[in-house]
Amino acid sequence: MSVAIILGSKSDLPVAKMAVEVLRELGIAYSVHIASAHRTPHLLAELAGKSPAEVFIGIAGLSAALPGAIASHTTRPVIGVPVSGKVNLDAILSIVQMPPGIPVAAVGLDGGANAAMLAAEILALRDPALGERLLQRRRAMHERVVADGKELKDI
Amino acid sequence: MSVAIILGSKSDLPVAKMAVEVLRELGIAYSVHIASAHRTPHLLAELAGKSPAEVFIGIAGLSAALPGAIASHTTRPVIGVPVSGKVNLDAILSIVQMPPGIPVAAVGLDGGANAAMLAAEILALRDPALGERLLQRRRAMHERVVADGKELKDI
Amino acid sequence: MSVAIILGSKSDLPVAKMAVEVLRELGIAYSVHIASAHRTPHLLAELAGKSPAEVFIGIAGLSAALPGAIASHTTRPVIGVPVSGKVNLDAILSIVQMPPGIPVAAVGLDGGANAAMLAAEILALRDPALGERLLQRRRAMHERVVADGKELKDI
Amino acid sequence: MSVAIILGSKSDLPVAKMAVEVLRELGIAYSVHIASAHRTPHLLAELAGKSPAEVFIGIAGLSAALPGAIASHTTRPVIGVPVSGKVNLDAILSIVQMPPGIPVAAVGLDGGANAAMLAAEILALRDPALGERLLQRRRAMHERVVADGKELKDI
Amino acid sequence: MSVAIILGSKSDLPVAKMAVEVLRELGIAYSVHIASAHRTPHLLAELAGKSPAEVFIGIAGLSAALPGAIASHTTRPVIGVPVSGKVNLDAILSIVQMPPGIPVAAVGLDGGANAAMLAAEILALRDPALGERLLQRRRAMHERVVADGKELKDI
Amino acid sequence: MSVAIILGSKSDLPVAKMAVEVLRELGIAYSVHIASAHRTPHLLAELAGKSPAEVFIGIAGLSAALPGAIASHTTRPVIGVPVSGKVNLDAILSIVQMPPGIPVAAVGLDGGANAAMLAAEILALRDPALGERLLQRRRAMHERVVADGKELKDI
Amino acid sequence: MSVAIILGSKSDLPVAKMAVEVLRELGIAYSVHIASAHRTPHLLAELAGKSPAEVFIGIAGLSAALPGAIASHTTRPVIGVPVSGKVNLDAILSIVQMPPGIPVAAVGLDGGANAAMLAAEILALRDPALGERLLQRRRAMHERVVADGKELKDI
Amino acid sequence: MSVAIILGSKSDLPVAKMAVEVLRELGIAYSVHIASAHRTPHLLAELAGKSPAEVFIGIAGLSAALPGAIASHTTRPVIGVPVSGKVNLDAILSIVQMPPGIPVAAVGLDGGANAAMLAAEILALRDPALGERLLQRRRAMHERVVADGKELKDI
């Protein structure tokens, strides 16, 4: 059970690292690849078509065709992460507005961490122990908010 | 194994029906609910917190808080469908731009069918027969495109 | 008579401080809380449902569901402050475009000070002395503009 | 205790009627006026400066300066309603993005009903009976959502 | 010497017909194909990689990955035509904002005719007779504007 | 014959200075004022209503009501300059999208210099010597472009 | 003393008619021309360079280069009117965002009437009788608003 | 066989340099000019009308009329490059949304390199050796992506 993270280019690495951090923390196996929808379409087709990964995370900016291109080669869930730049609406809309029949699960701008969380939620449907770790993480988040709130009052 | 479709209001029914049609075709159990993030927050909390569904689809327009609100009550995958209106960027951005920690999988405007496809892809990770039906559907789409192309040449 | 300021996360504190400054200056009691619509929905529900505050100020960025979530738990006036980020239209539209039945009073991007002014205007309907302080503040603003204009001419 | 509804032009009447309907239902006194920020600034100044109304609702489209102009002449709460047209972001941003010091409470596009609800919430701080009617209205909305949901299941 | 017009789906046919009309008028050979970047990536790869066409026109709406996908399989000029829908900025930005290294020549929304004109301008660099026809067409346009102007004065 | 430059606030001074520089260079009399549409509406009304200036330049950001407010008090030409900020479309649309009957002449974001040029063009209709200076300025611009082009070739 | 109205194409005639109506009502001489910045640049250059008109009104949609092109050939005031279409921000921004040195006075989308009003305000600086007619028109507008308001109360 | 690069102003030089770099690398002759659509329309008309260049690249920001103005004077292919600024949608839409009959090939924001690549693809239709260099460049890009991916795994 693993997640394949595919970056459109080396410059998307900071967003990929946010995803990696969450996957590591949750004990989920992953692999990281660079494959451009536009510069290396065959490499991407092979990667998306043959990878044993259960879930894909595609990270790209500008006219972010990468997540959709992954989805065109697999019927496994594909999560798309728009990367911020000078326009931002370009990457967001390129990933969200997929045509009927080939879904992509878009998360927010530079949302590497949320992409990993979503992948974990999907995998947890088959892995109760992972589901439990997700619940713990959610509770920890809750407690952090409560702690932040208390700290505020102490000031 | 089932999908819970939650509509923000009765007016979102046409988009929900697109999702229902795909789920029926793929033989996936589903339930349809109306629960507003803003008008019935406790009902939504109960629905999202106690539903046995593996995957949620939240459908809403305007400031579409519904999918995020579902996600706040569950660690199961939540798919958000923005519904078109007078602005459109409102619903799209409200669903995509979730804060870190609570992911939502956004699909395109009025993308009920893609939401159902994505739910099916997620469930197929546990159900090889469903995975096979998804592949068949993908092949059928492929053939329809080819047929459309031939028809074009005959004209 | 008091105002409850609720932040979606600790990072929204600078905008909250603008609100606090104005409330202090006007002698209005207030409390500051952190409660996320997405990470701590029950905490928020409790806060919004049980707070003795007459007016709420919700401060959040991205898909800013917080003010709407507060409004879903109270029939007291809720003021929403969108916090700036990489997109900005996301927070503005998420707060302004509320569905019928659950109003939120949106102020401008990073508009913590205006949110506090609006809260004061609401509370002043019951408190003539506060109304008088608001008029004085308005006059002072007027005089500052006049002074700025004079300074300009001296240059 | 009353609400003054000010329209920028006769063409904004449909949105004003949504506000009137809610105010009538809640038993709140109101008056309706036409006064343009641009075509009749002195009329507007007089109206905003001398009206005995506790709350103002300004309704306007395009470069919707009306709510801000009302607010410039009063320290009572002013609610702004952007009216839809060919651009929509013009009216929304003109009303939301007020400069520091002169707050306007923006509601959503064509949000006449929500403007009236917000006015009612403000007035209810002084009128417990009105507050009770607001709670009943909220409960009725809740029940309508539940009824809509049941109807859905019967289909 | 020919142009290959590729549509993302049958629904893009009206825009393709504008292109066909111009190419016929200018006596340029063409072929029309349906091949979706997302539903039939291998078909598209084959079409783009093996077509003898000198210039490609890719026509698509929503997250319009089609022109970029064609460009990923050829070093011949690819012209992209965004097709109008509910958002419009999605198709425009998806086609214009290509990453460095894989250019696409974007024309305007529903700009089938301009795509064909641009293809003709490119081919005319090798075909002086076609260049002459383009100049005639330009002159005819000029005369039509002049005639329209005269007609106006007669009214 | 003079131009009145009105700033919404002291922070708009850098844009006003661009206008002043051009007016000085062209030998046009001018005055600079600070008067906010929202904070000092009566001051603005007096300024706009009684100023002997032939042309007004209104400079403002955010919901930039200032130029329209000037125009509401005079039938002399009013030029509006949107000032850049976090959103930009707010100021541009607030100034451009004036309702029928009260025109404002919008120039580009931070376009203080162009506002002054436009004012000069208007005044030159009565002042042939100024018209001549404008032509000289235009020719000088032309020569600068030519010189820049030559410099480019020398590199 | 006259105004030259230039349309980018015959399809812009409805917006031109709004301008014509106002100019006629105010007794201002005018001429109407069709000349495209893109299809007939030399015709436009001649028209803009040699016209005896004191003020130009350029009306165009899409990438609305027409008003700027007129301005490039004259130092007389040029008013630009964006014409509505599928995107709208294209025409508005193309007309407003002129580079430094060549000003255009942009009015609102489809703002033919406001363009004519602005032209009249400019010409009235030399023609006190026209100035008086403008004041009368302003008063008439004022009275119509007051009458509309009364009518409202009678209902 | 050559490419003429035309800049709207000296400030667009950094984007032009990206184009020059690619053209040099591919051994394509080029010339660089400064000619503003607005400040030097006759210079631009002469340049575009008389240049022996086969392909034009027009680089401009704001209301970027330059590429369209070049296209109005030639029937050779014109590539337009929007230059980034405070709004960005202004330059993108001004270049993409050309009216029917006068095509411009828009590339992405600051896309100097892609403009040069596109020009090379056009010229390669007549020059098989250049076509071969383009294929090599494409392969090199492919290898760089593969190398980047390997480097990633080594980390």
Side-chain angles (χ1 to χ4, degrees):
Chain A
M1 218 173 68
S2 79
V3 174
I5 302 174
I6 307 180
L7 290 70
S9 98
K10 220 167 52 172
S11 64
D12 302 323
L13 205 52
V15 177
K17 280 178 178 166
M18 301 178 204
V20 164
E21 206 174 307
V22 171
L23 293 174
R24 271 190 189 156
E25 186 193 324
L26 288 165
I28 297 172
Y30 65 89
S31 57
V32 186
H33 314 265
I34 298 184
S36 161
H38 295 119
R39 277 166 295 178
T40 60
H42 294 296
L43 178 65
L44 185 67
E46 212 187 289
L47 209 60
K50 298 193 180 160
S51 166
E54 264 89 0
V55 179
F56 291 88
I57 294 176
I59 301 175
L62 296 169
S63 165
L66 180 71
I70 300 171
S72 76
H73 293 293
T74 181
T75 54
R76 297 209 176 127
V78 177
I79 299 167
V81 188
V83 175
S84 62
K86 289 174 187 157
V87 176
N88 290 336
L89 280 182
D90 50 3
I92 292 175
L93 294 175
S94 294
I95 291 178
V96 174
Q97 287 288 79
M98 287 292 292
I102 309 292
V104 161
V107 297
L109 202 67
D110 297 331
N114 267 7
M117 293 289 291
L118 183 57
E121 290 183 356
I122 290 169
L123 294 175
L125 293 181
R126 295 204 311 186
D127 179 349
L130 174 57
E132 188 49 42
R133 287 199 294 283
L134 278 173
L135 279 172
Q136 280 169 7
R137 208 177 189 272
R138 188 67 71 96
R139 274 182 226 117
M141 268 196 323
H142 182 282
E143 275 152 35
R144 216 170 318 130
V145 172
V146 172
D148 283 351
K150 274 194 188 138
E151 198 180 299
L152 209 69
K153 274 167 200 162
D154 296 350
I155 294 166
Chain B
M1 219 174 69
S2 79
V3 174
I5 302 174
I6 306 180
L7 290 70
S9 98
K10 220 167 55 173
S11 65
D12 301 325
L13 205 53
V15 177
K17 280 180 177 164
M18 301 177 203
V20 163
E21 208 173 305
V22 171
L23 293 175
R24 272 191 189 155
E25 187 193 325
L26 289 166
I28 296 171
Y30 66 89
S31 57
V32 185
H33 314 265
I34 299 184
S36 161
H38 295 119
R39 278 168 294 179
T40 60
H42 294 296
L43 179 65
L44 185 66
E46 210 188 290
L47 209 60
K50 298 192 180 161
S51 166
E54 263 89 358
V55 178
F56 291 87
I57 294 176
I59 302 176
L62 296 167
S63 164
L66 181 70
I70 299 171
S72 76
H73 293 292
T74 182
T75 54
R76 298 208 174 128
V78 177
I79 300 167
V81 188
V83 174
S84 63
K86 289 173 186 157
V87 175
N88 290 335
L89 280 182
D90 51 2
I92 292 174
L93 294 175
S94 295
I95 290 179
V96 174
Q97 287 289 77
M98 287 292 291
I102 310 291
V104 161
V107 296
L109 201 68
D110 297 332
N114 267 9
M117 293 289 290
L118 183 57
E121 291 183 356
I122 291 168
L123 293 174
L125 294 179
R126 296 204 311 185
D127 178 349
L130 174 57
E132 188 49 43
R133 287 199 294 282
L134 278 174
L135 279 173
Q136 280 169 8
R137 206 175 190 274
R138 189 64 74 95
R139 276 182 225 119
M141 268 195 324
H142 182 282
E143 276 151 33
R144 216 171 317 132
V145 171
V146 172
D148 283 351
K150 273 189 189 143
E151 199 181 297
L152 208 70
K153 274 168 198 161
D154 296 350
I155 295 168
Chain C
M1 218 173 70
S2 79
V3 174
I5 302 174
I6 307 179
L7 290 70
S9 98
K10 221 167 55 173
S11 64
D12 302 324
L13 206 53
V15 177
K17 280 179 178 164
M18 300 178 204
V20 164
E21 205 174 308
V22 171
L23 292 175
R24 271 192 190 154
E25 185 194 324
L26 289 166
I28 297 172
Y30 65 89
S31 57
V32 185
H33 314 265
I34 299 184
S36 160
H38 295 119
R39 278 167 294 178
T40 61
H42 294 296
L43 179 65
L44 185 67
E46 210 187 291
L47 210 59
K50 297 192 180 159
S51 166
E54 265 89 359
V55 178
F56 291 88
I57 294 176
I59 301 176
L62 297 168
S63 165
L66 180 71
I70 299 171
S72 77
H73 293 293
T74 181
T75 54
R76 298 210 175 126
V78 177
I79 299 167
V81 188
V83 175
S84 62
K86 288 173 187 158
V87 176
N88 290 335
L89 280 183
D90 50 3
I92 292 175
L93 293 175
S94 295
I95 290 179
V96 175
Q97 287 289 77
M98 287 291 292
I102 309 292
V104 161
V107 296
L109 202 67
D110 298 331
N114 267 8
M117 293 289 291
L118 183 57
E121 290 183 355
I122 290 169
L123 293 175
L125 293 181
R126 295 204 311 187
D127 179 350
L130 174 56
E132 188 48 42
R133 288 199 294 282
L134 278 173
L135 280 172
Q136 281 169 6
R137 210 177 188 272
R138 189 66 72 95
R139 275 180 226 120
M141 270 197 322
H142 181 282
E143 275 151 34
R144 217 171 317 132
V145 172
V146 172
D148 283 352
K150 274 191 187 140
E151 198 181 299
L152 210 70
K153 274 168 199 160
D154 297 348
I155 294 166
Chain D
M1 218 173 70
S2 79
V3 174
I5 302 174
I6 306 180
L7 290 70
S9 98
K10 221 167 54 174
S11 64
D12 301 325
L13 206 52
V15 177
K17 280 179 177 164
M18 300 177 203
V20 164
E21 207 173 306
V22 171
L23 293 175
R24 272 191 188 155
E25 187 193 325
L26 289 166
I28 296 172
Y30 66 89
S31 57
V32 185
H33 314 265
I34 299 185
S36 161
H38 295 119
R39 277 167 293 179
T40 60
H42 294 297
L43 179 64
L44 185 66
E46 210 187 292
L47 210 59
K50 298 192 180 160
S51 167
E54 263 89 0
V55 179
F56 291 88
I57 295 177
I59 301 176
L62 298 166
S63 164
L66 181 70
I70 299 172
S72 77
H73 292 293
T74 182
T75 53
R76 297 208 176 128
V78 178
I79 300 167
V81 187
V83 174
S84 62
K86 289 173 186 157
V87 176
N88 291 335
L89 279 183
D90 50 3
I92 292 175
L93 294 175
S94 295
I95 291 179
V96 175
Q97 287 289 77
M98 287 292 292
I102 310 291
V104 162
V107 296
L109 202 67
D110 298 331
N114 266 9
M117 292 289 290
L118 183 57
E121 291 182 356
I122 290 169
L123 294 175
L125 294 181
R126 296 204 311 187
D127 179 350
L130 175 56
E132 187 49 42
R133 287 199 294 282
L134 278 173
L135 279 172
Q136 281 169 7
R137 206 176 190 273
R138 190 64 74 95
R139 276 180 225 119
M141 268 196 323
H142 182 282
E143 275 151 34
R144 217 170 317 132
V145 172
V146 172
D148 283 352
K150 275 191 187 141
E151 199 181 297
L152 209 71
K153 274 169 200 161
D154 296 349
I155 294 167
Chain E
M1 219 174 68
S2 79
V3 174
I5 302 174
I6 307 181
L7 290 70
S9 99
K10 219 166 56 173
S11 64
D12 301 324
L13 205 52
V15 176
K17 280 179 177 164
M18 301 177 203
V20 164
E21 208 173 305
V22 171
L23 292 175
R24 272 191 189 155
E25 188 194 323
L26 289 167
I28 296 171
Y30 66 89
S31 57
V32 185
H33 314 265
I34 299 184
S36 161
H38 295 120
R39 278 168 293 179
T40 61
H42 294 297
L43 179 65
L44 185 67
E46 211 188 290
L47 209 61
K50 298 193 179 159
S51 166
E54 263 91 358
V55 179
F56 291 88
I57 295 177
I59 302 176
L62 296 168
S63 164
L66 181 70
I70 299 171
S72 76
H73 292 293
T74 182
T75 54
R76 297 209 174 127
V78 177
I79 300 167
V81 188
V83 175
S84 62
K86 289 174 187 156
V87 175
N88 291 334
L89 280 182
D90 51 3
I92 292 175
L93 294 175
S94 294
I95 291 179
V96 174
Q97 287 290 78
M98 287 292 291
I102 309 291
V104 161
V107 296
L109 201 68
D110 297 331
N114 267 9
M117 293 289 291
L118 183 57
E121 290 183 356
I122 291 169
L123 294 175
L125 293 180
R126 297 205 310 188
D127 179 350
L130 174 57
E132 189 48 44
R133 286 199 296 283
L134 278 174
L135 279 172
Q136 281 169 7
R137 208 177 188 273
R138 189 63 74 95
R139 276 181 224 119
M141 268 196 324
H142 182 281
E143 276 152 33
R144 217 171 316 132
V145 171
V146 172
D148 283 350
K150 273 189 188 143
E151 199 180 297
L152 209 70
K153 274 169 197 159
D154 296 349
I155 294 168
Chain F
M1 217 172 70
S2 78
V3 174
I5 302 174
I6 307 179
L7 291 70
S9 98
K10 222 167 52 173
S11 64
D12 302 324
L13 206 52
V15 177
K17 280 179 177 164
M18 301 178 203
V20 163
E21 207 174 306
V22 172
L23 292 174
R24 270 191 191 156
E25 186 193 325
L26 289 165
I28 297 172
Y30 66 88
S31 57
V32 186
H33 314 266
I34 299 185
S36 160
H38 295 119
R39 279 168 294 177
T40 61
H42 294 295
L43 179 65
L44 185 66
E46 211 188 291
L47 210 60
K50 298 193 179 159
S51 166
E54 265 89 359
V55 179
F56 291 88
I57 294 176
I59 303 175
L62 296 168
S63 164
L66 181 71
I70 300 171
S72 76
H73 292 292
T74 182
T75 54
R76 298 210 174 125
V78 178
I79 300 167
V81 188
V83 175
S84 62
K86 289 173 187 159
V87 176
N88 290 335
L89 279 183
D90 51 3
I92 292 175
L93 293 175
S94 295
I95 290 179
V96 174
Q97 287 289 76
M98 286 292 291
I102 309 292
V104 161
V107 296
L109 202 67
D110 297 332
N114 267 8
M117 293 289 290
L118 182 57
E121 291 182 356
I122 290 169
L123 294 174
L125 293 180
R126 295 203 311 186
D127 179 349
L130 174 57
E132 189 47 44
R133 287 198 296 281
L134 278 173
L135 279 172
Q136 281 168 7
R137 209 176 188 274
R138 189 66 71 94
R139 275 181 225 118
M141 270 196 322
H142 181 282
E143 275 151 35
R144 217 169 319 131
V145 172
V146 172
D148 283 351
K150 274 191 188 140
E151 198 180 300
L152 209 70
K153 273 168 201 161
D154 296 348
I155 294 168
Chain G
M1 218 174 67
S2 78
V3 174
I5 302 173
I6 307 180
L7 290 70
S9 98
K10 219 166 56 173
S11 64
D12 301 324
L13 205 51
V15 176
K17 280 178 176 165
M18 298 178 205
V20 164
E21 207 173 306
V22 171
L23 293 175
R24 272 191 189 154
E25 187 193 325
L26 289 167
I28 296 172
Y30 66 89
S31 58
V32 185
H33 313 265
I34 299 184
S36 162
H38 295 119
R39 278 167 294 178
T40 61
H42 294 297
L43 178 65
L44 185 66
E46 211 188 290
L47 209 60
K50 298 192 180 161
S51 166
E54 263 90 359
V55 179
F56 292 88
I57 294 177
I59 301 176
L62 296 167
S63 164
L66 180 70
I70 299 171
S72 77
H73 293 293
T74 181
T75 54
R76 297 210 175 126
V78 178
I79 300 167
V81 188
V83 174
S84 63
K86 288 172 187 158
V87 176
N88 292 335
L89 279 183
D90 51 3
I92 292 174
L93 294 175
S94 295
I95 290 179
V96 174
Q97 286 290 77
M98 288 292 291
I102 310 291
V104 162
V107 296
L109 202 67
D110 298 332
N114 267 8
M117 292 289 292
L118 183 57
E121 291 182 356
I122 291 169
L123 293 175
L125 293 180
R126 296 205 309 187
D127 179 349
L130 174 56
E132 188 49 43
R133 286 199 296 282
L134 278 174
L135 279 172
Q136 281 169 7
R137 207 175 189 276
R138 189 64 74 94
R139 276 180 224 118
M141 268 196 323
H142 182 281
E143 276 152 32
R144 217 172 316 133
V145 171
V146 172
D148 283 351
K150 276 192 187 140
E151 199 179 298
L152 208 71
K153 275 168 199 162
D154 296 349
I155 296 168
Chain H
M1 217 171 69
S2 79
V3 174
I5 302 173
I6 307 179
L7 290 70
S9 98
K10 222 167 52 172
S11 65
D12 302 324
L13 205 52
V15 176
K17 280 179 177 164
M18 301 177 202
V20 163
E21 207 173 306
V22 171
L23 292 174
R24 271 191 190 154
E25 186 194 324
L26 289 165
I28 297 172
Y30 66 89
S31 58
V32 186
H33 315 265
I34 299 184
S36 161
H38 295 120
R39 278 167 293 178
T40 61
H42 294 296
L43 179 65
L44 185 67
E46 210 188 293
L47 209 60
K50 298 191 179 160
S51 165
E54 265 89 359
V55 178
F56 291 88
I57 294 176
I59 301 175
L62 296 169
S63 164
L66 180 70
I70 300 171
S72 77
H73 293 292
T74 182
T75 54
R76 298 210 174 125
V78 178
I79 299 167
V81 188
V83 174
S84 62
K86 288 174 188 158
V87 176
N88 290 337
L89 279 183
D90 51 3
I92 292 175
L93 294 175
S94 295
I95 290 179
V96 174
Q97 287 290 78
M98 287 292 291
I102 309 292
V104 162
V107 297
L109 203 67
D110 297 331
N114 267 8
M117 292 290 290
L118 183 58
E121 290 183 357
I122 290 169
L123 294 174
L125 294 181
R126 296 204 310 188
D127 178 350
L130 173 58
E132 189 48 43
R133 286 198 295 281
L134 278 173
L135 279 172
Q136 280 169 7
R137 208 177 189 274
R138 190 66 72 95
R139 276 182 224 117
M141 268 196 322
H142 181 284
E143 276 152 34
R144 217 170 318 131
V145 172
V146 172
D148 283 350
K150 273 191 188 139
E151 198 180 299
L152 209 69
K153 274 169 201 160
D154 296 349
I155 294 167

